[in-house]
Amino acid sequence: MNLAGLADKIEGATERGLPRVPKYILLSDGISGAVDNGDLKPGDQLPGEYDLAAALPASLGTIQKALSRLVEQGVIVRRHGSGTFISCLLYTSDAADEEDSVD
């Protein structure tokens, strides 16, 4: 995962004078975008919360809020003691929908 690019996106949005968007939304949208463009694939593990907080211009609470949002959206799954992973179910249902529409 390109944490430097994600950090730039968060910092850039706050510096450009755009309408204020909470950092947790910028972060969760950045991770979703990385999934959408293939930088993160199903089953990929995200860095830990503390690693993300150390590398990004965001507090631990902001990181946790962003990750909770991604769980609610079905983008990631969190496994206690194992880590946070890109959801495989997100892609399984999309693939099934595409197969159904081809018939």
Side-chain angles (χ1 to χ4, degrees):
M1 178 173 187
N2 181 359
L3 293 179
L6 193 51
D8 289 344
K9 178 179 179 174
I10 292 170
E11 289 177 338
T14 57
E15 293 173 356
R16 284 190 291 250
L18 298 173
R20 188 178 177 326
V21 176
K23 284 185 180 181
Y24 81 95
I25 292 177
L26 293 172
L27 177 57
S28 61
D29 287 353
I31 293 172
S32 291
V35 172
D36 291 342
N37 69 26
D39 290 338
L40 291 171
K41 300 190 182 347
D44 282 354
Q45 185 171 10
L46 295 180
E49 292 176 358
Y50 291 104
D51 295 332
L52 289 170
L56 299 172
S59 69
L60 181 60
T62 298
I63 302 293
Q64 291 169 336
K65 194 169 182 178
L67 295 177
S68 293
R69 182 173 187 245
L70 290 168
V71 168
E72 290 173 7
Q73 294 172 344
V75 175
I76 63 172
V77 293
R78 304 187 84 187
R79 297 186 193 123
H80 185 71
S82 296
T84 302
F85 301 86
I86 302 302
S87 176
C88 295
L89 297 176
L90 185 68
Y91 294 93
T92 303
S93 63
D94 288 347
D97 290 345
E98 288 177 14
E99 287 177 14
D100 290 342
S101 65
V102 173
D103 292 336

